[in-house]
Amino acid sequence: MSQLLKANGLSVSFGAAKVVDEISFGVPRGGTLGIVGESGSGKSMTSLAIMGLLPKGGKREGSLDFDGTELTALSEPQMRAVRGDRIAMVFQDPLSSLNPYYTVGTQIAEAYRSHRSGVSRKAAKQAAIEAMERVHIREAGRRVDDYPHQFSGGMRQRVMIAMALSTDPELIIADEPTTALDVTVQAQILELLAEVQRDTGAALILITHDLAVVSEVADELIVMRHGKVVETGSAEQIFSDPQHSYTQALLDAVPRIDDSIGELRTTGGKA
Amino acid sequence: MTRFVVNRVAGMLLVLFLVCLFTYMVFFLLSPDPAVQICGKNCTPERIDQIRENLGLTDPFLTQFWNFLSGLFAGRTYGGGIECAAPCLGYSFQTSQLVTDMIVQRLPVTAVVAIGAAVLWLLMGVIGGLLSAVQEGKFADKFIAGLTLGGMSVPNYVLALALQYVFVVWLQVLPFSQAVPFADDPVQWFLNFILPWSVLAIGYAASYTRLTRANVIDTLNENFVRTAKAKGLRPDLVWRRHALRPALTPIVTIAGMDFAGLLGGALITETVFGINGVGKLAADSITKNDQPVIMGVTLLAAFFVVVGNMVVDLLYSVIDPRVKAGAPA
Ligand SMILES: Nc1ncnc2c1ncn2[C@@H]1O[C@H](COP(=O)(O)OP(=O)(O)OP(=O)(O)O)[C@@H](O)[C@H]1O
Ligand SMILES: [Mg+2]
């Protein structure tokens, strides 16, 4: 598999604090890269660095080769054209990530319209409904006019995923997409992401601190700690032969969530 | 929605009733005998008794209060044949005019003061707040913070007198205020209001600036703003749709309540600038101890505040989809 995104010596720093420290990884075209690590290890900063959306004061260094384009060399308007269109993002907390003042349809359509000039409001709404149907929101035609607070947590995350896939991106970055959700819907959301990926051929970066989750879906895996990549390889490699004691420690935590793995397998999650 | 409105109106009536009861108790039971006041200096005990009789002051408290309440809704006729149409607030001990008439005459100018001030403080507050939010931590932000601190800490009457001295007496760019009807001389009319508008607006503008700044900065840190950026939305759209609307909605609603409060009259400002509005009426009747007028103005102010609150609540349920009309407040 050729690489869609290649990060080389990517760093993020806030003043003197280097929260992502010269990491390198590749995302295979149409494949899944899992990024695992404990809280504060720099996973979110890595994803925001790719999007060019670091918080104020954050500085990005290194190289990000996205399908032959050096993202770090793009101007802000050029990057804006990539954002949400070629690279879409699904955030951790779907409630706070959706604007309470607008219907979900408006917010999905907004993503769609901002990358397609001359799309009518009506066509964009239709696209929003279709996107909602693709993430299995029932009665999408009616629910498109509902507000985020009228949805359950899992449904909100489906809305976020609909928003991401509405523009047919080449890469979807999901930053802990299930952490804020009930255990019972976590597996469904992961399954949905895998399904979206199968259907659209988009590549996926799946960020989690749950090694069990990512081992189910990821082709490649990097394990991060304190801003550094401490382990990299295929999921099987890392599972069968963890090189780093930290990875071992993460693996030891796996049996805790064995149930959700089982569920994932039986519901046809990508093995 | 209907239940929500009915509930709110019922609550509003209850509050107004309690305000009535309370003010009636304070003004008519705890203050000096109005009959003595009305009677004046050369007064005979018989005359005082006669006045008491006419005013119904010999009745027990509850009867008096009931008469007052029914006068509000149905009007009443005082002993001696004085007619008082609904909403009857009694008549002035000093001028014998009906309180309702006195208030109605003065309401328009008070409304002009309130509207002008509200427009001014919203403009200043929102623009100042946006500017300091955008320039957070930079010079403009600190400069505006200094101004707002000043605006908040200078008392209204000091500001009124100072501005009057500077612009009218010293620089002479504004005329001494003199009541002119708008139709006669619109320019003079407008110039008259510039200082009162400014004085009232400055205090509010200061707190609105702070509020706007805080709201905008908070909103810009919201996750949904990050989502909007992650969609690749143009910055102006991120601002307009995702930052301004959530940040400014609460400000507009608060402005509604403050505005309602001002409709009850701006005591100090109207008095300093000689504006013959409800506020000046209140101030004058306080100095003259003209109880029915004081009470009338108090009830009017309470009425505007309570109604203003209700309107704002109803509006809020329209503006903010999360506030479901009918849900317990
Ligand atoms: N705005 C900021 N300024 C300075 N440091 C920051 C800022 N935001 C995050 N950091 C630091 O960057 C480091 C990495 O944070 P990041 O959010 O990437 O962690 P994470 O791996 O995503 O953790 P989690 O699992 O909790 O989401 C943390 O130590 C954090 O304190
Ligand atoms: Mg994170």
Side-chain angles (χ1 to χ4, degrees), chain B residues 298-318:
Chain B
T298 309
L299 285 183
L300 178 83
F303 175 77
F304 279 132
V305 169
V306 172
V307 172
N309 261 293
M310 194 188 74
V311 171
V312 162
D313 275 2
L314 290 177
L315 265 184
Y316 216 97
S317 68
V318 177

Side-chain angles (χ1 to χ4, degrees), chain A residues 15-31:
Chain A
K18 234 179 186 182
V19 298
V20 175
D21 196 355
E22 300 205 11
I23 67 171
S24 302
F25 56 84
V27 185
R29 213 173 282 278

Side-chain angles (χ1 to χ4, degrees), chain B residues 154-298:
Chain B
V154 178
N156 242 352
Y157 59 93
V158 175
L159 193 64
L161 293 172
L163 288 185
Q164 197 171 38
Y165 181 76
V166 171
F167 290 101
V168 180
V169 179
W170 185 34
L171 298 175
Q172 302 190 348
V173 287
L174 289 174
F176 273 104
S177 62
Q178 49 197 152
V180 279
F182 177 77
D184 289 3
D185 187 350
V187 176
Q188 170 75 26
W189 179 91
F190 185 80
L191 292 178
N192 268 340
F193 282 109
I194 288 182
L195 285 183
W197 281 337
S198 310
V199 167
L200 279 178
I202 282 173
Y204 285 109
S207 55
Y208 279 61
T209 302
R210 289 192 171 184
L211 202 63
T212 305
R213 178 185 184 276
N215 275 0
V216 170
I217 290 174
D218 281 355
T219 309
L220 285 176
N221 282 324
E222 290 279 1
N223 283 342
F224 58 74
V225 170
R226 187 180 60 186
T227 306
K229 290 179 185 162
K231 287 179 201 174
L233 222 54
R234 289 203 319 267
D236 60 309
L237 291 180
V238 172
W239 264 88
R240 263 200 353 246
R241 292 191 196 147
H242 295 280
L244 288 189
R245 180 161 175 205
L248 295 187
T249 302
I251 289 169
V252 172
T253 55
I254 293 170
M257 288 196 243
D258 283 340
F259 174 72
L262 264 191
L263 282 179
L267 237 81
I268 293 167
T269 309
E270 288 183 10
T271 306
V272 170
F273 293 107
I275 293 170
N276 208 5
V278 178
K280 182 151 183 300
L281 179 66
D284 290 349
S285 43
I286 289 168
T287 45
K288 293 179 197 147
N289 202 12
D290 199 347
Q291 292 151 19
V293 182
I294 303 175
M295 177 149 167
V297 174
T298 309

Side-chain angles (χ1 to χ4, degrees), chain A residues 96-97 99 102 107 110 115, chain B residues 223-224 227 231 241-242 321:
Chain A
S96 68
S97 296
N99 190 324
Y102 299 97
Q107 296 185 63
E110 195 176 36
H115 295 289
Chain B
N223 283 342
F224 58 74
T227 306
K231 287 179 201 174
R241 292 191 196 147
H242 295 280

